[in-house]
Amino acid sequence: MAMIDELLAGLRAAGEETRLRLLFILSRGEFNVSELTTILGQSQPRVSRHLKLMVEAGLIQRYREGAWMLFRISTSSGNAELARSLIRFMADDDPQVARDLERIAQVKAQRQADAQAYFAENAENWTAIRAYHVAEEKTEEAIRELVGDVHVDRYVDLGTGTGRMLEMFAPLADEAVGVDLSREMLSFARANLGQAGLDHVQVRQGDISGLTLQDASADLVTLHQVLHFLADPAKAIAEAVRLLKPGGRLVVADFASHDLEFLREQFAHRRLGIAHYDMTSWAKAAGAKVTKHEQLSPPAHLAQEGLAVAFWVIEKA
Ligand SMILES: C[S@@+](CC[C@H](N)C(=O)[O-])C[C@H]1O[C@@H](n2cnc3c(N)ncnc32)[C@H](O)[C@@H]1O
């Protein structure tokens, strides 16, 4: 809720055609200034001026991701509710809104194409590693079982990559956030989520070992195939546990300990899988405990050459 002064500032900032359009556009996802310029068909300085006014009035939020400045509807200011209410008043069949929707779709399709180009360059790595472990559908099935289908208020996916976990579990949540270090991966995630119509999901750049997300704010946190890239996985577990609300759950999936040394040189793995013993002690050090542990063996024909995938559910002690 807003104080009267704040509400008036919000109403003034919203009471203009381009700014109302901006509210509507940002209700359909996060966009950078150049994408907003394309959708609105106006010059960058004009668009930037509107955005600045709306940020100051607390209707929208701005955040930096590398060289990009991204915008989204406010979630925390006094005028966040005003922004959401105004959007509800805008009819999808208004001619201007309909044109904006078309341009939004074009911008999202362009993102998808750009991200695909990046993915294509790296796909070789991903496909090569896939050959060493159990089929991805099986891994996803196991995680789905562990997560269950209960509704959650807030879901956080750490090391979100292409956003697959968000695609799977954001539909369970009122709010969902994905964090990744890599801007290219985030572009891909954003494109995928846009395509899947998951407009309530935010992705942002950040380092797992020092997150800016609030303590005790999430009911569900996932870490899927991320820990083996990290120099200090204990720190990542501590950060993930810090985010959990009392009663919240952290679900981790990663390779079990293995000795395929070439994954270090060829695929930038820092650790050769994660030992159950280590996970138990990292959880304990973070003030939590492992409440479930499962493992999926590699395909039988690979024998010693395969990778087992392990799963852990961690809850605050
Ligand atoms: C193999 S991908 C897994 C992606 C995703 N979790 C999934 O299930 O598809 C690992 C991801 O971890 C990210 N990552 C690596 N180190 C990170 C860090 N310190 N902070 C945030 N993300 C990180 C990488 O950029 C990459 O997107």
Side-chain angles (χ1 to χ4, degrees):
M1 286 299 136
M3 307 300 264
I4 287 184
D5 278 357
E6 200 179 4
L7 186 57
L8 277 171
L11 287 167
R12 273 190 216 107
E16 196 274 342
E17 188 190 340
T18 304
R19 289 182 229 143
L20 272 182
R21 284 172 66 197
L22 275 166
L23 275 181
F24 178 81
I25 294 163
L26 294 175
S27 75
R28 298 299 162 125
E30 304 170 328
F31 295 92
N32 65 30
V33 184
S34 101
E35 289 169 335
L36 291 171
T37 305
T38 307
I39 297 167
L40 290 166
Q42 295 183 9
S43 74
Q44 186 142 334
R46 269 186 81 181
V47 174
S48 295
R49 208 166 41 245
H50 286 305
L51 289 167
K52 182 165 180 282
L53 277 168
M54 293 169 78
V55 169
E56 282 165 4
L59 293 168
I60 63 171
Q61 280 170 284
R62 150 175 66 199
Y63 65 103
R64 182 173 285 287
E65 188 185 286
W68 284 7
M69 195 61 90
L70 284 146
F71 294 85
R72 61 172 167 247
I73 297 292
S74 238
T75 49
S76 52
S77 79
N79 277 330
E81 191 50 43
L82 173 65
R84 274 194 292 273
S85 309
L86 290 171
I87 292 157
R88 282 197 292 274
F89 283 115
M90 285 182 252
D92 278 15
D93 55 0
D94 174 279
Q96 183 60 64
V97 169
R99 273 196 296 278
D100 287 344
L101 275 170
E102 244 169 60
R103 294 227 182 108
I104 290 170
Q106 283 163 10
V107 163
K108 286 187 176 179
Q110 184 58 47
R111 276 183 193 171
Q112 179 84 357
D114 294 348
Q116 283 289 3
Y118 169 79
F119 194 63
E121 275 171 34
N122 290 275
E124 215 177 291
N125 287 357
W126 283 302
T127 324
I129 295 177
R130 263 186 212 130
Y132 288 88
H133 60 82
V134 67
E136 234 134 74
E137 307 85 73
K138 292 232 165 102
T139 315
E140 291 188 356
E141 212 177 284
I143 304 182
R144 248 187 230 288
E145 285 270 304
L146 291 173
V147 168
D149 58 5
V150 284
H151 170 89
V152 295
D153 289 337
R154 191 169 158 85
Y155 164 48
V156 178
D157 182 38
L158 300 175
T160 205
T162 58
R164 178 63 190 146
M165 292 296 110
L166 289 168
E167 267 182 72
M168 286 170 66
F169 303 122
L172 298 175
D174 285 340
E175 272 180 50
V177 181
V179 179
D180 202 284
L181 202 54
S182 146
R183 271 195 49 209
E184 287 85 356
M185 289 304 241
L186 289 177
S187 312
F188 197 72
R190 222 170 257 124
N192 273 348
L193 296 164
Q195 211 68 2
L198 291 169
D199 296 328
H200 71 302
V201 180
Q202 298 174 1
V203 290
R204 49 175 93 154
Q205 192 177 31
D207 188 330
I208 293 172
S209 53
L211 295 164
T212 52
L213 300 171
Q214 262 186 358
D215 289 6
S217 56
D219 308 274
L220 175 67
V221 177
T222 50
L223 259 170
H224 179 243
Q225 295 291 16
V226 181
L227 289 184
H228 63 258
F229 288 108
L230 305 182
D232 188 358
K235 182 87 182 88
I237 297 293
E239 274 294 86
V241 168
R242 178 181 70 74
L243 300 183
L244 289 180
K245 286 182 190 168
R249 289 170 308 148
L250 163 63
V251 179
V252 185
D254 217 293
F255 297 125
S257 292
H258 61 81
D259 52 15
L260 304 185
E261 188 63 45
F262 76 93
L263 292 176
R264 280 219 167 99
E265 291 108 53
Q266 292 181 29
F267 300 109
H269 289 202
R270 290 263 193 147
R271 301 182 74 93
L272 299 183
I274 307 294
H276 178 53
Y277 171 84
D278 283 335
M279 187 63 89
T280 312
S281 68
W282 297 336
K284 191 166 171 214
K289 66 173 187 223
V290 174
T291 53
K292 252 185 211 167
H293 173 226
E294 289 170 11
Q295 204 158 299
L296 282 179
S297 306
H301 70 276
L302 290 171
Q304 298 305 311
E305 288 290 281
L307 290 167
V309 181
F311 305 87
W312 294 269
V313 176
I314 294 171
E315 294 175 69
K316 268 192 174 147

